[in-house]
Amino acid sequence: MSQKNRKGKASELYRQLGRRSLGGSVQMWDDLWTGAHLATMAAGGAANGVPYGAVEDGALAVAGGRLAWVGAAADLPGAPETLARRVHDAAGAWITPGLVDCHTHLVYGGDRAREFELRLTGASYEQIARAGGGIRYTVEQTRKASEEALYASALPRLRDLLAEGVTTVEIKSGYGLTLEDELKMLRVARRLGAEEPVTVKTTYLGAHAIPPEFDRRPEEYIDTVVAQMAEVAASGLADAVDGFCERIAFYPEQMARVFEAATAAGLPVKLHADQLSDSKGASLVARYGGLSADHLEYSCEEGIRAMALKGAVAVLLPGAFYFLRETRLPPIEAIRRHGVPIAIATDCNPGSSPCTSILLMLNMGCTLFRLTPEEVLAGVTRNGARALGLEETHGTLEPGKVADFVIWNIAYPAELAYRIGHNPCRLVVKEGQVVKDGRVVRGG
Ligand code: DI6
Ligand code: FE
């Protein structure tokens, strides 16, 4: 943001909020954070030559759980105490938007440590899946688990993410594979969102794997998924629909049937696309106007071009790439050249990415995929929000957006991607409220 734009923006907002409270006893804002540098991650920041959309010596105000003012402290329309009921000094820290983990399978039963051992003695992920292990093993464990047990096992994983500044997370079903067990998983995901200081977006992943009772009858299983779509939508438990389009899961024609049903039920779609082979998943997502295509290691340029035309987000998952010791890189240059927004996520799941560190994903996005620290930070803020259809309300520090932000003990934003195994998160603010050790400690 140029100095001029910043001033323009500030005074415009100031007008909107009205002068009336100034000088009186009623302050117009609940909280004002000063003494901070802001990585606003607002679109156009980098384009205008300001990396990270940064505002040094900035200030940020919260009113009613929303960001009410964002700008240079020097442009504040008055003395801080006259403007807000509470004034906080961030003492030179950096503030970013709350982080968004836009692709996780956080809710599941059991773990797959044995499979990890097997893979290290030579079996491949595909071989294990074809032999009935892999996802099917987790399905067995998840079906057996009570809702309470699933909640109890997912909670510490979620808290790991929250401790690193995640304020929005997507959680998929996909290990139940019966209507009842899928809804059980989605209810657990919703409950996590209701009880923890985090926004949860849920995704129905019925087309994740062929369940054992449909062995060698994938079409019939897809018939079931399609037939159940209306009920899933009516339950209100799913915000989107996902699938695994891969030679060890479902063909594009089968996924297209699921997407037709989802679209008819009013649910947006996304896809595990081209992770192990070029299954034309990227093009399929584009054809259905999907939110995102995820993984993309084997996507061809045509698929990327189609995504660009439809505004789909490329969700890159360096944890799965690393853990499966994949060597084929996603087509990063094509993704950049076509201007497809890049998001980064943990893909937290027991089989291919048992990872609950979003900061590690930032590092791996840079080291493994050669993304820049700014690209990966945009990937877990602005573009992560977009991948969940939340771009109007989340993902950047801009007036009007939900007041989700993180205060970091860092001297420069690139540090978030640079360090390995270090968490510089000082404080999280969720919807204007300060969160400490996973709990809201003060109302905004
Ligand atoms: N791709 C993934 O990365 C996860 N699901 C999928 O379709 C892995 C799921 C698992 O192995 O349990
Ligand atoms: Fe996944």
Side-chain angles (χ1 to χ4, degrees):
M1 234 180 292
S2 73
Q3 188 74 12
K4 195 162 156 243
N5 281 348
R6 210 158 57 201
K7 283 223 165 98
K9 209 164 190 178
S11 54
E12 167 57 19
L13 259 151
Y14 180 36
R15 261 196 307 280
Q16 282 172 19
L17 288 163
R19 269 194 109 90
R20 58 197 148 64
S21 55
L22 273 186
S25 57
V26 183
Q27 292 96 338
M28 60 179 161
W29 297 326
D30 298 327
D31 291 271
L32 177 61
W33 298 80
T34 60
H37 307 301
L38 313 177
T40 68
M41 302 313 290
N48 293 340
V50 186
Y52 303 97
V55 180
E56 299 210 15
D57 302 315
L60 174 159
V62 177
R66 297 263 172 172
L67 294 172
W69 193 94
V70 178
D75 294 337
L76 277 167
E81 315 70 55
T82 66
L83 298 169
R85 289 195 287 131
R86 290 174 292 265
V87 179
H88 314 261
D89 181 8
W94 276 84
I95 301 184
T96 68
L99 306 189
V100 179
D101 189 352
C102 69
H103 179 143
T104 86
H105 311 245
L106 209 68
V107 174
Y108 58 82
D111 69 54
R112 305 247 288 278
R114 292 243 175 84
E115 175 182 317
F116 178 54
E117 276 183 332
L118 272 178
R119 282 202 296 110
L120 288 168
T121 52
S124 75
Y125 182 75
E126 271 195 67
Q127 282 166 341
I128 290 167
R130 288 188 192 283
I135 294 176
R136 275 202 188 173
Y137 174 77
T138 304
V139 169
E140 200 183 299
Q141 299 297 309
T142 305
R143 286 179 176 178
K144 269 203 283 201
S146 68
E147 213 160 305
E148 204 52 43
L150 286 176
Y151 184 85
S153 65
L155 187 58
R157 291 192 280 269
L158 177 64
R159 289 204 171 145
D160 283 354
L161 292 175
L162 302 192
E164 289 188 345
V166 169
T167 52
T168 300
V169 65
E170 185 254 19
I171 302 178
K172 302 175 195 297
S173 64
Y175 292 117
L177 309 185
T178 65
L179 181 61
E180 191 191 329
D181 289 306
E182 289 289 298
L183 295 181
K184 173 174 78 174
M185 292 184 72
L186 292 171
R187 273 194 302 274
V188 171
R190 281 275 191 255
R191 182 176 158 206
L192 289 165
E195 295 188 9
E196 294 299 301
V198 62
T199 299
V200 170
K201 289 291 256 182
T202 56
T203 302
Y204 170 55
L205 179 55
H208 193 195
I210 303 157
E213 60 277 17
F214 283 89
D215 209 11
R216 284 188 255 281
R217 293 184 294 133
E219 280 302 334
E220 285 171 50
Y221 179 61
I222 291 294
D223 290 345
T224 313
V225 170
V226 166
Q228 290 169 347
M229 193 63 77
E231 200 167 333
V232 171
S235 74
L237 290 170
D239 300 317
V241 171
D242 192 354
F244 191 14
C245 188
E246 194 56 64
R247 57 192 179 203
I248 55 166
F250 299 102
Y251 292 110
E253 300 71 27
Q254 295 168 328
M255 277 318 310
R257 295 184 54 213
V258 175
F259 282 4
E260 287 290 339
T263 308
L267 292 171
V269 300
K270 56 176 87 174
L271 192 65
H272 285 73
D274 312 327
Q275 179 187 6
L276 309 169
S277 61
D278 182 7
S279 332
K280 307 289 174 220
S283 302
L284 187 65
V285 164
R287 189 156 7 113
Y288 285 89
L291 290 166
S292 68
D294 303 27
H295 288 287
L296 302 181
E297 278 83 347
Y298 289 83
S299 294
C300 59
E301 177 145 5
E302 190 190 323
I304 301 302
R305 190 182 306 117
M307 287 175 65
L309 286 172
K310 290 299 192 69
V313 176
V315 178
L316 303 183
L317 304 166
F321 176 91
Y322 163 81
F323 197 67
L324 297 182
R325 291 181 296 150
E326 178 60 66
T327 50
R328 166 97 165 218
L329 285 165
I332 306 282
E333 277 317 311
I335 293 171
R336 283 186 180 132
R337 190 157 19 85
H338 289 286
V340 174
I342 298 172
I344 297 284
T346 60
D347 193 14
C348 172
N349 77 72
S352 65
S353 189
C355 170
T356 50
S357 171
I358 195 83
L359 294 177
L360 182 58
M361 295 304 97
L362 297 188
N363 180 267
M364 286 188 181
C366 296
T367 53
L368 299 177
F369 293 168
R370 312 311 292 169
L371 296 171
T372 67
E374 184 176 4
E375 281 176 319
V376 291
L377 191 56
V380 295
T381 53
R382 186 176 71 243
N383 294 338
R386 182 159 169 190
L388 297 179
L390 292 174
E391 64 274 21
E392 300 294 329
T393 48
H394 294 74
T396 64
L397 299 177
E398 289 179 284
K401 288 208 170 176
V402 172
D404 286 358
F405 56 89
V406 187
I407 303 180
W408 303 95
N409 294 322
I410 54 173
Y412 186 66
E415 265 184 66
L416 294 177
Y418 156 74
R419 301 280 293 255
I420 305 172
H422 173 68
N423 180 8
C425 176
R426 185 197 295 176
L427 198 81
V428 174
V429 175
K430 177 68 190 159
E431 292 167 13
Q433 308 205 320
V434 175
V435 176
K436 258 210 179 106
D437 299 325
R439 313 284 7 138
V440 169
V441 293
R442 182 187 48 66

